[in-house]
Amino acid sequence: MFPTLLFYFFAGTLIAAALGVILARNPVYSALLLVLCFFNSAVIWLLLDAEFLGIVLVLVYVGAVMVLFLFVVMMLDVNLEELRKGLASYWPLAVAVAGFVVFAMINVIMVKHLGGMSMRTAPPLAVNYSNTRELGTALFTQYSYPAQIAAVILLVASVAAIVLTLRRRTGGKPQDIAKQVAVRAKDRVRIVKMASEKRQ
Amino acid sequence: MWEWSPLRDWVSGIITPYWTYPFLLIVQTLIVVTCLILTMAFYTLAERKVIGWIQARRGPNRIGGLLIPGLAQPFADVVKLMFKEIIIPADANGFLFRLAPFLALVPSLAIWAVIPFAPEHAFANIDAGLLYILAMTSMGVYGVILAGWAANSKYAFLGAMRSAAQIVAYEIAMGFAMVGVLMAAGSLNVGEIIRAQQGLFGWNWTWLFPMLMVYFISGVAETNRAPFDVAEGESEIVAGFHVDYSGMAFALFFIAEYVNMILISALTVIFFFGGWLSPFDGWLPADSWLAAPGFFWFGLKTLVPMFSFLWLRATFPRYRYDQIMRLGWKALIPVTLVWLLVEGFMVYFQVGPWKGHL
């Protein structure tokens, strides 16, 4: 009873926040509402005993990805008028895409012969069930190679992103920190011994 | 949380059993939060006193009567901040400007839910405690960014940018240091991490010494404390992200920063110095009170990193921004990566604390 109430509360908030993401006029509010979306889906995962997934969602998306999103949104002066211009001509396409996604979701959830699960309660979990341990075992035994390959692809992508955006400005005066760290006092300061002078 | 029977008996006598548990939880939360805020208040006094002594000054010594001059200084500060007007700049985003202090404070208090103060004395004994700690620490950055942006001021925004970039960068090194800890414990549960450390020289600080260094340095950087406090470098950007805040709104940022410092100290103790375990465990007979684990040891040990925060601030000059980024990315992260590899070999060949681990 109580978990069901919680579920409806968080699911309702999730949908409202998701609507807010696309309806908010201020892009900063959109990004923040997306954070709220992630948070609510994390809570729903927690309600399903998938604590690892829930917390990792908060850690990765809320803690890192959305921070960078917010950065970009705040730094760039987004011209909303410009963005909203083509809205009317795009909406049939948008509706088509949304319709297809809804259709696919219904298929996955409802239709059995497509491999979808029927809508029934999951079997109760063992008392000492640990979502973290189960996921770790699966990831590092059964799916070891796919996990490694995914990691390498991500690494290549991040290196590529850095290389693509790296540009050296000519005429800049960057400091060579290694040189600065290596400096010793005797390179910079000369101690002079002077006899004290009489006051004039 | 803890089975404090007089309170529980009294409560269950006057309300229905169904509400006893939530009621107790709320009472215990209030107790812990009050203690935290009091610790934080006296920590600010300690900071001013300790830095004063290090710099051959007296520090605050007016308010507080004859016993210890300056003892009531934090309360005087609170009263002063409470009676100040909270000014909201004309072109600020009012809603986010008001929301930001709470976003800074709430995560720093929420983490204490999984901190075990003594054996079996934690609010939530959850399996993925370490992950929860990481996730909540990363939430704290929102308060900083939103405060900087909502104030609609260049100084505040620059401070927020610096601080956010710094927090995101040092979180990686911090996460890797935590990976080292969880490899040693074989668990993400905070209580298990403490129990896996046996004896003074079996605590994680011996085998994971580089991780300890990286963790504490990243912790100092995460809390934006000196020498990593470019986010509020007063000579360049006045006070950073909270430049436009006044009164209690500013105080909330202040509380969040100090609670975070206490938290980082507590976590350093939990991860590397055996949490509530006694340092005399195994040296003295087991029935001696010195060898017994408990809150006494946890509190006492937490004071050491807390003091180090102040010591660092009084000793080191501020880092330059590019030096901070260099230290984070090019020094701390490689150190953790190398040590993770070393640790992997130690686990594989069952060296040291990993004897008979597999």
Side-chain angles (χ1 to χ4, degrees):
Chain A
M1 177 59 192
F2 190 55
T4 321
L5 275 181
L6 280 181
F7 169 78
Y8 280 116
F9 175 73
F10 286 111
T13 320
L14 174 59
I15 291 170
L19 280 175
V21 172
I22 51 172
L23 293 179
R25 292 190 170 272
N26 189 339
V28 173
Y29 280 132
S30 287
L32 285 174
L33 285 166
L34 193 53
V35 170
L36 189 61
C37 279
F38 284 134
F39 221 84
N40 280 301
S41 18
V43 173
I44 290 176
W45 255 335
L46 284 184
L47 288 176
L48 293 171
D49 288 321
E51 52 181 24
F52 184 82
L53 290 176
I55 297 176
V56 163
L57 183 75
V58 173
L59 176 59
V60 174
Y61 280 93
V62 177
V65 174
M66 286 315 292
V67 173
L68 300 179
F69 255 67
L70 262 183
F71 248 42
V72 174
V73 169
M74 287 172 177
M75 293 283 275
L76 299 178
D77 205 7
V78 187
N79 190 350
L80 281 179
E81 298 306 310
E82 200 73 12
L83 283 176
R84 279 172 200 278
K85 250 179 199 164
L87 194 66
S89 57
Y90 283 134
W91 76 264
L93 180 67
V95 167
V97 171
F100 176 73
V101 171
V102 170
F103 176 71
M105 292 284 279
I106 289 173
N107 267 335
V108 168
I109 296 169
M110 304 292 236
V111 184
K112 249 189 191 143
H113 70 263
L114 282 175
M117 46 223 144
S118 56
M119 302 278 271
R120 59 189 160 80
T121 25
L125 299 164
V127 178
N128 56 354
Y129 171 81
S130 164
N131 180 247
T132 317
R133 178 154 297 147
E134 295 286 313
L135 267 173
T137 315
L139 205 60
F140 288 109
T141 55
Q142 198 180 349
Y143 299 104
S144 181
Y145 284 119
Q148 305 268 338
I149 292 167
V152 171
I153 291 173
L154 278 175
L155 180 67
V156 170
S158 58
V159 170
I162 293 170
V163 170
L164 281 176
T165 53
L166 185 72
R167 61 193 165 96
R168 293 217 178 276
R169 221 187 320 177
T170 47
K173 291 175 182 164
Q175 288 141 327
D176 186 350
I177 304 182
K179 236 182 232 171
Q180 294 182 326
V181 171
V183 161
R184 292 287 162 266
K186 65 176 170 41
D187 304 335
R188 295 282 168 89
V189 187
R190 192 165 54 97
I191 310 266
V192 183
K193 267 217 152 63
M194 276 178 77
S196 55
E197 290 175 11
K198 282 250 163 59
R199 188 178 288 198
Q200 301 290 320
Chain B
M1 195 186 174
W2 54 83
E3 302 282 310
W4 192 18
S5 35
L7 180 69
R8 192 191 51 203
D9 293 345
W10 179 70
V11 167
S12 52
I14 52 172
I15 52 179
T16 55
Y18 183 78
W19 290 107
T20 307
Y21 183 68
F23 181 80
L24 278 181
L25 213 54
I26 290 169
V27 169
Q28 287 163 349
T29 312
L30 283 178
I31 292 173
V32 169
V33 169
T34 313
C35 290
L36 265 178
I37 301 286
L38 277 178
T39 316
M40 169 264 157
F42 284 107
Y43 194 24
T44 59
L45 174 68
E47 171 169 40
R48 295 167 71 180
K49 277 286 192 191
V50 167
I51 294 180
W53 289 327
I54 291 177
Q55 295 169 345
R57 298 184 281 114
R58 280 179 197 279
N61 65 348
R62 293 289 134 183
I63 311 166
L66 300 171
L67 195 63
I68 303 175
L71 192 66
Q73 186 68 42
F75 301 106
D77 290 341
V78 167
V79 170
K80 184 194 82 171
L81 285 167
M82 275 217 251
F83 285 103
K84 275 196 168 183
E85 185 188 354
I86 297 177
I87 298 163
I88 294 166
D91 278 339
N93 184 325
F95 175 65
L96 292 183
F97 192 82
R98 288 182 181 90
L99 183 70
F102 296 101
L103 286 183
L105 182 63
V106 168
S108 62
L109 291 177
I111 301 180
W112 291 90
V114 294
I115 304 291
F117 297 98
E120 313 301 331
H121 284 189
F123 281 109
N125 182 14
I126 64 173
D127 240 5
L130 202 68
L131 273 176
Y132 173 82
I133 291 171
L134 259 179
M136 281 296 136
T137 356
S138 58
M139 288 287 295
V141 68
Y142 279 96
V144 174
I145 300 188
L146 287 181
W149 183 79
N152 197 15
S153 146
K154 293 257 186 320
Y155 289 125
F157 193 54
L158 277 172
M161 283 294 169
R162 287 178 173 196
S163 162
Q166 182 178 323
I167 290 176
V168 171
Y170 277 81
E171 219 163 59
I172 300 171
M174 202 177 209
F176 275 137
M178 284 190 186
V179 170
V181 172
L182 78 91
M183 274 171 76
S187 172
L188 283 170
N189 183 308
V190 184
E192 293 295 314
I193 288 173
I194 295 176
R195 271 187 211 96
Q197 309 177 41
Q198 288 303 327
L200 180 56
F201 294 99
W203 292 349
N204 282 336
W205 67 274
T206 44
W207 295 93
L208 303 181
F209 192 73
M211 296 297 194
L212 164 64
M213 286 292 132
V214 169
Y215 184 81
F216 191 65
I217 295 171
S218 321
V220 177
E222 282 250 322
T223 45
N224 285 329
R225 293 290 299 177
F228 300 100
D229 59 345
V230 285
E232 41 199 86
E234 55 281 324
S235 54
E236 306 144 29
I237 50 174
V238 198
F241 59 90
H242 55 57
V243 63
D244 280 315
Y245 282 88
S246 60
M248 279 318 273
F250 164 74
L252 288 188
F253 281 114
F254 201 67
I255 295 171
E257 179 177 335
Y258 280 79
V259 170
N260 269 330
M261 284 159 67
I262 302 172
L263 182 82
I264 294 287
S265 309
L267 288 178
T268 311
V269 166
I270 286 172
F271 292 154
F272 299 100
F273 293 101
W276 32 253
L277 291 173
S278 156
F280 300 111
D281 192 20
W283 299 77
L284 289 175
D287 53 348
S288 134
W289 66 272
L290 276 174
F295 177 73
F296 173 68
W297 289 115
F298 180 62
L300 206 63
K301 283 190 265 187
T302 307
L303 290 178
V304 178
M306 275 168 72
F307 178 78
S308 308
F309 266 101
L310 312 181
W311 192 7
L312 283 176
R313 179 173 166 190
T315 311
F316 290 114
R318 185 177 293 142
Y319 266 104
R320 212 174 52 212
Y321 190 67
D322 56 329
Q323 291 169 332
I324 290 184
M325 284 298 147
R326 182 186 132 98
L327 180 71
W329 291 101
K330 294 189 182 171
L332 297 186
I333 292 179
V335 165
T336 51
L337 286 178
V338 167
W339 204 255
L340 278 182
L341 203 67
V342 172
E343 223 188 312
F345 279 114
M346 287 200 282
V347 174
Y348 187 76
F349 292 111
Q350 307 201 4
V351 191
W354 294 282
K355 206 163 273 177
H357 198 270
L358 293 173

